[in-house]
Amino acid sequence: MSRFTLHALSVGIAAASLSLSAHAATEITWWHSMGGELGERLSAIAEDFNASQDEFTIAPSYRGEYEEAMVNTIAAFRAGEQPHIVQIYEVGTGTMMAAQGAIYPVYELMEEHGNNFDPSDYLSVVTGYYTDTDGNMLSMPFNSSTPILYYNKAVFEAAGLDPETPPTTWQEMGEMSQQILDEDAASCGFTLAYAANWVGLENFSAMHNLPVGTLENGFGGLETEFTFNGDVQARFWDQLKEWSDSGAYMYAGPANGPDAAPAFYSSDCAMYMNSSASRADVLANSDFDVGFGMLPYYDDVDGAPQNSIIGGATLWVLSGHEENEYTGVAEFLQFLSSPEVQAEWHQGTGYLPITTAAYELSQEQGYYDENPGADIAIEQINLNEPTENSKGLRFGNYPQVRMVLDEEFQNVLSGDKSGQEALDDAAERGNQILRDFEAANS
């Protein structure tokens, strides 16, 4: 019986023993976007909290994918039926920040209702994404991840490559991919999830210490403009086009690249870049030894490699509820941040630990020794102290901009535009989206 199963069973017994007093508990509603096993693990955390005390009951509720949950939350707030806590993805941060009056900033909540809350306990590279310009935490990090490289060791051996040495630069990525094709070890060298945005532009820019936009990538105000159309980003998109034509790279589709994972699992593509939180799925679906590496970089670009940025989601607290209910929200967030809860969540899902204590506890438990490659993501986000270009992004209506980037990247792959032309057009279209957001929120 797995530890997770044992956990679920013990929680069930504890919950049953408290059933007589549960009716008096104050209910705290938590809307989220995690289905499947992740949803079960999330529910297990809530049940654990409920079993730990009898004043409050956390009631998690799945509300669809991130975008759908965000739209539903806005509609619920307007109707006065908002949850206490909602999970919002990282690109929705700018929109949530602009919703003044609708959110209860976490740092204020914990100051007024929390116990022993110390912001310095949290990993700065994680919390930096979700703080205001004064360093105050606005939402609580929950499921944070960063993209890493997965590779097929069997294909590497078949191609005559060292299975213990993944590429570290984009130059090596091209050379190794070509060797894999030449030796007929696989039908493509590598593929990417989020090719036009999170991996292929946002993290690419961060790893090369290049800005995505002005005003600290949008952290400094709504007047920000996109600057992701630089020479290095254009060079990369042009190179992806060349590699796509040669077969070294396989385009896996827009958004999260739905064809990327199947191509890697089937050994059609030897290498694959996606979230560190994909680790469990990669290991479960691959019948070959999987190697892990950091994202490649151009070694002729000054400042590279810098550090990668995170993705995932945080928990936002919404206004409009009773004071005693916020006491329960604060207690739950404190519980959620405990080293034991965070270490189990990190180890079971592949998401990053949000506190130093959870990372150190995982080390003490021997998790990284027993699971080689599991700490690659942590090493990568901590390669260097984050700069204005590598601490994250904060742009209003950014999901719309990502759709524009997908369209323009496909124009490059089809040969209709060069990388520079496509990124110039994407910046112009994206800036109009920013101006619309600014006008609506000024």
Side-chain angles (χ1 to χ4, degrees), residues 78-125:
R78 289 171 176 164
E81 298 176 351
Q82 69 274 24
H84 297 83
I85 305 169
V86 61
Q87 182 187 25
I88 298 290
Y89 60 169
E90 86 283 6
V91 293
T93 301
T95 300
M96 292 300 289
M97 281 187 64
Q100 295 180 3
I103 64 168
Y104 190 167
V106 161
Y107 78 95
E108 290 183 5
L109 170 82
M110 300 307 278
E111 286 176 359
E112 295 166 1
H113 298 279
N115 295 310
N116 302 318
F117 175 68
D118 184 354
S120 67
D121 290 341
Y122 297 79
L123 294 176
S124 60
V125 72

Side-chain angles (χ1 to χ4, degrees), residues 4 35 42 145 147 157 162 198 217 220 229 238 246 252 269 273 364 414 436:
F4 181 55
L42 180 151
S145 62
E157 282 195 281
D162 182 352
W198 189 47
N217 280 349
N229 52 331
D238 282 334
S246 71
C269 288
M273 279 160 265
E364 294 170 9
S414 66
D436 291 344

Side-chain angles (χ1 to χ4, degrees), residues 267-429:
S267 296
D268 288 339
C269 288
M271 293 173 278
Y272 163 54
M273 279 160 265
N274 198 0
S275 167
S276 56
S278 300
R279 177 187 172 90
D281 283 339
V282 167
L283 294 177
N285 290 284
S286 302
D287 59 359
F288 47 81
D289 286 340
V290 178
F292 307 88
M294 294 187 187
L295 295 178
Y297 60 94
Y298 286 126
D299 59 5
D300 56 356
V301 175
D302 290 340
Q306 171 56 43
N307 66 279
S308 61
I309 59 176
I310 60 172
T314 56
L315 303 183
W316 290 81
V317 180
L318 301 180
S319 60
H321 297 287
E322 300 295 328
E323 285 299 303
N324 69 310
E325 295 170 358
Y326 285 121
T327 299
V329 173
E331 285 192 21
F332 176 63
L333 296 185
Q334 193 83 37
F335 173 85
L336 192 64
S337 302
S338 66
E340 294 76 14
V341 171
Q342 273 300 305
E344 183 168 351
W345 174 251
H346 160 55
Q347 294 173 26
T349 63
Y351 284 114
L352 299 167
I354 63 172
T355 64
T356 303
Y359 175 54
E360 292 174 346
L361 179 58
S362 295
Q363 287 180 310
E364 294 170 9
Q365 293 172 336
Y367 173 68
Y368 303 117
D369 293 333
E370 296 170 6
N371 297 275
D375 54 354
I376 287 283
I378 299 169
E379 293 176 15
Q380 186 176 264
I381 62 171
N382 288 296
L383 272 177
N384 293 289
E385 187 69 23
T387 69
E388 293 181 357
N389 300 329
S390 69
K391 66 180 179 181
L393 316 175
R394 186 165 299 161
F395 302 110
N397 287 339
Y398 194 62
Q400 295 178 29
V401 179
R402 280 188 164 180
M403 294 173 67
V404 168
L405 288 166
D406 274 322
E407 292 172 7
E408 295 294 348
F409 184 58
Q410 291 176 51
N411 286 331
V412 175
L413 296 178
S414 66
D416 291 337
K417 293 182 181 179
S418 68
Q420 190 66 65
E421 291 170 337
L423 285 168
D424 286 347
D425 289 347
E428 182 178 352
R429 296 171 64 188

Side-chain angles (χ1 to χ4, degrees), residues 4 7 36-46 344-345 348-349:
F4 181 55
H7 161 82
E37 184 174 345
L38 287 175
E40 292 178 11
R41 289 185 178 277
L42 180 151
S43 295
I45 292 174
E344 183 168 351
W345 174 251
T349 63

Side-chain angles (χ1 to χ4, degrees), residues 144-168:
S144 297
S145 62
T146 197
I148 62 172
L149 170 70
Y150 302 92
Y151 68 97
N152 184 324
K153 291 186 176 183
V155 170
F156 267 48
E157 282 195 281
L161 297 169
D162 182 352
E164 303 304 326
T165 306
T168 58

Side-chain angles (χ1 to χ4, degrees), residues 190-239:
F190 72 97
T191 187
L192 300 170
Y194 305 97
N197 41 70
W198 189 47
V199 177
L201 186 67
E202 297 154 21
N203 268 284
F204 177 87
S205 298
M207 288 291 283
H208 294 83
N209 197 20
L210 299 169
V212 172
T214 60
L215 299 178
E216 301 180 33
N217 280 349
F219 278 68
L222 298 180
E223 303 84 3
T224 182
E225 293 188 345
F226 289 116
T227 58
F228 49 60
N229 52 331
D231 294 345
V232 179
Q233 291 98 328
R235 166 190 174 186
F236 181 54
W237 277 28
D238 282 334
Q239 192 147 47

